Amino acid sequence: MNPNTTFWAPKHTPKLISTDQVMLATVDTMLPKDHHKRLMESLKETEQLALLKRFTLDFHADPDLDTLSEEEALFLYERGFLPEKVRLYGLNHDNIDRYLSDVQRWLTRLVNGPYSIVFNNKILFDQVFGQYCNVPRTVAVCRQGRVISHTKLWQQIEAGEAGPLMLVAKPLGGGGGGSVYFIRIDKRHAVIETNDAINPRFSVKSEALGDVFSRQGVPFIVNEYVQQGEFSKRLYPLTVNTVRALVVRDENTGEPYLVRAVLRVGNSESYPIDNFSLGGLSIEVNNETGELGHAVAAAGRFTGQRWVTHPDTGERITGAYIPNWQVYKNKLLSLFYKLPYLKYCGFDLILQDDGFVVLEGNSYSQVRLFQMHEPLFSNELVVELYAKYGIVVKR
C-alpha cells in the first residue's frame, strides 16, 4: 500500500468541529470499524450469495477498475464497493465506513420479500399503485411479437384516428433508463425520439408503431405521456424531470421515514431523458424544507463539477425551493401507509402544480445519486433503519 496516495490518506483531526462533524462522529460510534468487511464475510444465505455473484461480475466489468492498484481493488472488493465509487464519492480509506456499499444496496432488494414483484413488473405496479395515487395510464404492452391493447386508444392510433398526443414506451422490466422512446402521434404519423445514439429520431406510420417495439426482443410497455409542473419545466423543459425519494418503514413502529430525496434534471447530455447514469443532474433536496442544494452528474461532460445553476438553461438551482414540498412529502408518506406490506422503496415522482404522478417504484433503489451529495450513514436514524433489516452491522 502507498500511504501517500489520496486513497490511503491517514485520518486528520480537524481544528474546528462543526455540527455536521459532530453528527458524523456520533454515527461513527454506532458503526464498528470495517463493518462492510464484516458484513461481506457473513453472507451465507443462497439469495445473498447470488447477489454477491452479481456484484463480482459487475466489479470486474467496471471500467474504473483499471485506474486502481491491486491493493485498492482488493480493499474495495472485500468491502462491497464498485471501483467507480472512488471517482464518484471521493471514496477513500478514511471515509468508506460512512457509505452504503454496492453489495448493501443489492441486499435491499430482499427487504420487501415476495412483495418485490410489485416493483419488478410495471403492469402490476400500475394496477396496485393506481388504486391509491396517480400513475401513467397504460395504453398497450408489446410482448412476444404482438401488441396487447389496454385501452381503445391503441386501436385509434393504429387506425390513424388519434392525436395530437404523446406516448412513452420503455422495457417492461428492469431499469437504468435505457431504450426509452418518446412518441408524438399526429393522426397517421408517429415521430419517435430515443436515447439511442445511432438512431435518436425517426418517424413511422401510426399503423406500424407496434412493429417498432415488437422487433426489440424484450417486452415493452406504452404509457401516456405525463406533463410536469412549471417548476420542474423551468429548470430544463426538454426532459421530464423527476424526484427520487427513498422511503423506509421502521420495522418496530411501522412508521414510514423519508431517508433522502433528490431532484433529477435532464440536460443536453442526457436528452431526451433525465437519467443520472446517462449524464443527467442529481440535485440534493432538503427533506424538511424542499430547498435545493448543489447539482452533480455521474457521467458525461458535466461530471466533476458542482452546479449552482443549470449548465444549459442558466436557471438557478442552489437556494431555490420546490413549491409545496411539505404537501408532496405528506402525500408520499400517506401512500406508504396504504401499502403496509412494503418496507423499502425508491419512488420516482413527476411533480405537477397540484400534486404528483408516481412514475415507478424501485425495491432496491440506486443510491449513488444520493451519496454523491452525502453518505447515507451520516444520519443515526438511517443507520438504525438499515440495521433493523440486516443491511448494516452495528456495534
Side-chain angles (χ1 to χ4, degrees):
M1 298 181 185
N2 181 358
N4 297 318
T5 63
T6 303
F7 189 88
W8 302 110
K11 189 171 185 177
H12 297 286
T13 303
K15 295 181 180 179
L16 297 176
I17 305 297
S18 68
T19 303
D20 289 342
Q21 288 168 333
V22 171
M23 179 179 289
L24 284 171
T26 304
V27 170
D28 286 344
T29 63
M30 300 174 63
L31 297 171
K33 185 66 178 174
D34 238 2
H35 63 90
H36 294 108
K37 189 174 181 181
R38 297 188 190 186
L39 178 68
M40 291 283 284
E41 292 171 347
S42 73
L43 300 179
K44 294 180 174 61
E45 300 296 329
T46 301
E47 290 180 310
Q48 294 174 339
L49 294 176
L51 296 178
L52 183 59
K53 179 180 179 181
R54 171 66 184 272
F55 165 73
T56 302
L57 294 173
D58 287 352
F59 188 92
H60 289 286
D62 191 324
D64 282 280
L65 180 60
D66 292 336
T67 68
L68 303 177
S69 68
E70 289 186 14
E71 292 85 357
E72 290 168 341
L74 180 61
F75 181 87
L76 288 174
Y77 181 81
E78 289 180 338
R79 288 153 184 81
F81 285 86
L82 293 175
E84 66 170 11
K85 299 308 185 300
V86 174
R87 171 175 52 88
L88 297 179
Y89 297 167
L91 200 66
N92 58 50
H93 184 266
D94 184 43
N95 64 17
I96 194 169
D97 284 339
R98 294 169 180 168
Y99 287 89
L100 186 80
S101 72
D102 292 287
V103 167
Q104 287 172 317
R105 178 246 166 171
W106 276 93
L107 289 174
T108 60
R109 73 184 300 170
L110 305 179
V111 171
N112 288 314
Y115 297 108
S116 292
I117 191 174
V118 175
F119 304 107
N120 299 336
N121 186 300
K122 288 183 170 62
I123 296 177
L124 185 57
F125 179 86
D126 292 352
Q127 292 176 343
V128 173
F129 277 79
Q131 300 178 65
Y132 306 106
C133 63
N134 292 326
V135 298
R137 188 167 64 139
T138 301
V139 176
V141 171
C142 303
R143 190 196 300 271
Q144 296 179 339
R146 67 190 187 97
V147 179
I148 304 169
S149 175
H150 278 237
T151 69
K152 293 182 179 179
L153 179 58
W154 187 259
Q155 283 90 358
Q156 294 173 346
I157 291 171
E158 290 187 317
E161 299 172 353
L165 61 89
M166 286 193 65
L167 304 172
V168 180
K170 54 189 175 182
L172 191 55
S179 303
V180 179
Y181 294 81
F182 293 88
I183 308 154
R184 190 180 302 275
I185 304 288
D186 188 6
K187 298 297 183 183
R188 303 206 63 84
H189 293 89
V191 178
I192 302 170
E193 283 190 284
T194 179
N195 51 342
D196 185 340
I198 298 176
N199 194 18
R201 182 184 173 94
F202 59 96
S203 62
V204 297
K205 293 287 185 66
S206 297
E207 62 196 41
L209 185 58
D211 295 337
V212 173
F213 307 114
S214 298
R215 292 194 298 265
Q216 299 301 315
V218 295
F220 262 74
I221 186 170
V222 182
N223 292 325
E224 287 188 345
Y225 180 86
V226 178
Q227 295 287 349
Q228 62 189 334
E230 286 302 316
F231 176 78
S232 297
K233 186 185 298 183
R234 190 166 65 245
L235 291 173
Y236 189 70
L238 300 182
T239 60
V240 177
N241 307 309
T242 56
V243 166
R244 168 65 63 89
L246 181 60
V247 181
V248 178
R249 189 182 304 279
D250 188 310
E251 195 174 43
N252 292 334
T253 66
E255 295 291 316
Y257 178 76
L258 178 61
V259 172
R260 197 73 64 83
V262 296
L263 176 61
R264 295 182 300 192
V265 176
N267 52 46
S268 55
E269 190 76 7
S270 69
Y271 178 84
I273 58 179
D274 67 343
N275 190 268
F276 187 56
S277 299
L278 300 177
L281 302 178
S282 168
I283 306 171
E284 55 186 338
V285 178
N286 184 295
N287 278 8
E288 300 303 322
T289 66
E291 182 180 9
L292 301 184
H294 291 85
V296 296
R301 58 194 174 93
F302 298 124
T303 306
Q305 301 182 54
R306 289 166 63 84
W307 299 89
V308 297
T309 59
H310 194 283
D312 293 315
T313 65
E315 190 70 26
R316 177 192 176 198
I317 293 175
T318 306
Y321 286 82
I322 297 177
N324 304 314
W325 173 251
Q326 279 298 332
V327 175
Y328 295 138
K329 178 181 174 180
N330 291 337
K331 284 186 176 180
L332 182 60
L333 296 180
S334 295
L335 175 61
F336 222 66
Y337 274 115
K338 297 172 183 176
L339 299 161
Y341 49 83
L342 297 183
K343 301 176 181 179
Y344 189 96
C345 181
F347 290 101
D348 289 345
L349 311 175
I350 300 176
L351 301 184
Q352 298 181 311
D353 296 331
D354 57 352
F356 59 73
V357 174
V358 179
L359 185 60
E360 62 181 45
N362 303 271
S363 62
Y364 55 110
S365 173
Q366 180 60 264
V367 296
R368 64 180 185 170
L369 69 173
F370 301 122
Q371 293 197 127
M372 282 186 69
H373 301 291
E374 182 183 7
L376 277 170
F377 296 153
S378 61
N379 182 300
E380 289 182 74
L381 181 55
V382 173
V383 174
E384 290 283 0
L385 289 169
Y386 278 100
K388 287 174 182 175
Y389 290 109
I391 304 300
V392 63
V393 177
K394 283 179 56 182
R395 285 189 187 276

